Amino acid sequence: MYEIVNEPNLTIAFDMDTELSQFGVFGVYIKQGYNICAGYIDPSDWSGIHRGYKELVELYENCKGKATFTYVLTGEGDTLTFSLDQKGALTMEINICTIYNYKCNMTIEILDQTYLPKFIEFFKVFLEKGPK
């Protein structure tokens, strides 16, 4: 478990699993105030993680843009999206629709760019565990 943000009113933690699925699965746990969003995202193949990672690095280098990790077979469903606006505010949108009709939507807008390297490092380590 990689705890990315640990503040009094906000916790963001990611986890990775390369054995649960041949495609790689990453878990997301967000607690914002009393709201909790937790689940896993299976991007259906490693290209979704590679693409999202590349977009995340570009977003950091250009100080603007969008990076999306998504379930690429359907183009909808479980998504994790990072976006950076002109003011430098980092927005993170999580949409998890997992089993048993559990659905979780959460948008976090109060992050600053200092968290971006931590997200990038998580996915870099994750990709290193993927198939070569």
Side-chain angles (χ1 to χ4, degrees), residues 8-118:
N9 219 23
L10 180 65
T11 303
I12 301 175
F14 283 178
D15 206 354
M16 63 178 78
D17 194 323
T18 53
E19 294 172 15
L20 184 64
S21 163
Q22 63 185 1
F23 308 123
V25 170
F26 57 94
V28 181
Y29 173 83
I30 314 283
K31 183 171 185 279
Q32 189 174 27
Y34 293 106
N35 299 320
I36 293 176
C37 182
Y40 64 86
I41 294 178
D42 181 343
S44 80
D45 66 15
W46 283 89
S47 67
I49 301 171
H50 279 280
R51 188 188 66 244
Y53 173 75
K54 187 175 172 228
E55 290 173 349
L56 200 58
V57 170
E58 285 174 10
L59 184 147
Y60 182 60
E61 289 172 351
N62 298 327
C63 294
K64 66 176 189 227
K66 193 178 224 182
T68 303
F69 299 82
T70 186
Y71 196 85
V72 295
L73 285 179
T74 60
E76 57 187 40
D78 299 344
T79 57
L80 169 63
T81 305
F82 298 92
S83 51
L84 200 55
D85 65 18
Q86 297 86 346
K87 297 175 188 169
L90 178 62
T91 300
M92 188 176 161
E93 291 177 43
I94 305 101
N95 184 12
I96 299 173
C97 316
T98 55
I99 53 175
Y100 310 120
N101 292 328
Y102 167 75
K103 188 166 181 174
C104 162
N105 292 312
M106 191 175 282
T107 300
I108 300 160
E109 298 176 340
I110 58 171
L111 294 176
D112 60 43
Q113 289 185 40
T114 61
Y115 291 112
L116 262 174
K118 293 181 180 182

